Amino acid sequence: INDFVPQPSKLESMASVSSYHSFGVSCRDGEDGYIKIIPNGGVSPYTYAHDFSTSKMDSVGMLRAGTYSTTISDVNGCKTTLVNTITEPEKLSVSTIIIDPGCDGPTTGEYTIASATGGTLPYTYTLNNEDIEAKVPKKSLAEGIYTLKLVDANGCELIARDTLVAAIIPKI
């Protein structure tokens, strides 16, 4: 008699982790990361015990940047643990140079984006809802409050406000 009993393959797993231009969440301090566990081997059905959630599902979302551990068990009680890391981009930051309108007239002000960092390239910029380029001065500006909106490739936004103050031109 040949009583060969096949053994299941070793229980293993991998995960699909969210990717927003190579980051696990779209924006700094974002909560849009997810992990989907993909078991392989063992004998299904599988159960999932996450150290970060009460969910028993194979997918968990609304995650922040961090390291997450999940233990996967098969019907025979075999277990494997999977650790995944969700990363986040650096905080968006912008540096501007403003030149107030001077004695040459009320519309001689300038606004320049000196640099921007963080987030995910490329960036787009608007100044008071008009497109503006980095390192190219926006000229002929009058006194007032100017709102810069920086948006990165993931749709993350930074709003910066600057005030241009016109020089008092004495009457002669």
Side-chain angles (χ1 to χ4, degrees), residues 33-35 37 48-64 67-71:
Y34 69 85
I35 297 171
I37 306 298
Y48 306 90
H50 308 286
D51 71 346
F52 55 92
S53 171
T54 58
S55 171
K56 300 295 182 195
M57 304 299 290
D58 63 347
S59 296
V60 181
M62 297 179 56
L63 300 175
R64 298 180 70 111
T67 301
Y68 299 93
S69 177
T70 300
T71 299

Side-chain angles (χ1 to χ4, degrees), residues 72-125:
I72 303 99
S73 302
D74 75 358
V75 74
N76 292 330
C78 297
K79 296 181 181 193
T80 186
T81 299
L82 187 62
V83 177
N84 291 286
T85 300
I86 292 181
T87 59
E88 68 182 341
E90 293 296 319
K91 182 179 178 181
L92 285 170
S93 176
V94 67
S95 174
T96 60
I97 300 168
I98 60 170
I99 298 174
D100 291 321
C103 295
D104 293 338
T107 58
T108 57
E110 295 184 15
Y111 192 104
T112 306
I113 300 167
S115 66
T117 60
T120 305
L121 294 171
Y123 304 128
T124 58
Y125 310 92

